[in-house]
Amino acid sequence: MAIRRQVLGDAHVDRANAQMTAFDADFQTFITEGAWGSVWSRPHFTKRERSIVTIALLAALSQDEEIAMHVRATRNTGATKDDIREALLHVAVYAGVPAANHAFKIVKKTLAEMEAGSEPSGGPNVR
């Protein structure tokens, strides 16, 4: 949970926890233990590097909400706009131009929201 909070921020994790129900509690535990406890806490990659890899993978898979969430997390991981751009260029070559094109749109919108200081309400898919 500590790594999850470091990367996503307390406000995001608090929203996710507030939306948790008995139906998805086991899934939330799985995410916290698997993604944040096992993978994000490994020492080889920095949080910045994990952030870049994660954004590229999510872009390749067209996971719109997750892309936006991890772009917002770059405030905490140290990944820059330049890092994100380079990751999306890799997506274009290795996963396809349409996936990268779509991800660029999401990233631009998310970065603009961040610069404007607006935050998402944390809909039903907040993790």
Side-chain angles (χ1 to χ4, degrees):
M1 187 60 78
I3 300 285
R4 186 178 178 194
R5 286 185 177 280
Q6 287 172 9
V7 173
L8 299 178
D10 288 331
H12 175 89
V13 175
D14 290 345
R15 280 192 306 272
N17 286 339
Q19 293 176 7
M20 186 169 47
T21 66
F23 181 74
D24 69 340
D26 290 338
F27 178 66
Q28 292 294 326
T29 299
F30 172 76
I31 292 168
T32 300
E33 292 174 354
W36 305 108
S38 294
V39 176
W40 275 83
S41 63
R42 293 178 57 82
H44 188 76
F45 278 176
T46 64
K47 285 183 180 63
R48 175 185 162 267
E49 292 165 331
R50 286 196 192 283
S51 190
I52 294 164
V53 169
T54 300
I55 290 168
L57 289 167
L58 293 170
L61 295 169
S62 297
Q63 297 298 310
D64 301 3
E65 292 178 20
E66 296 286 321
I67 295 167
M69 177 179 77
H70 279 277
V71 168
R72 286 188 295 274
T74 62
R75 287 182 292 228
N76 303 320
T77 66
T80 66
K81 289 180 190 180
D82 291 342
D83 293 332
I84 296 168
R85 182 185 58 243
E86 294 302 317
L88 296 183
L89 288 171
H90 261 63
V91 169
V93 170
Y94 292 101
V97 170
N101 185 47
H102 186 68
F104 267 106
K105 290 177 187 171
I106 293 164
V107 170
K108 285 169 52 177
K109 179 180 184 236
T110 305
L111 291 172
E113 290 170 353
M114 290 168 63
E115 288 169 6
S118 61
E119 290 293 321
S121 63
N125 295 321
V126 169
R127 283 195 265 253

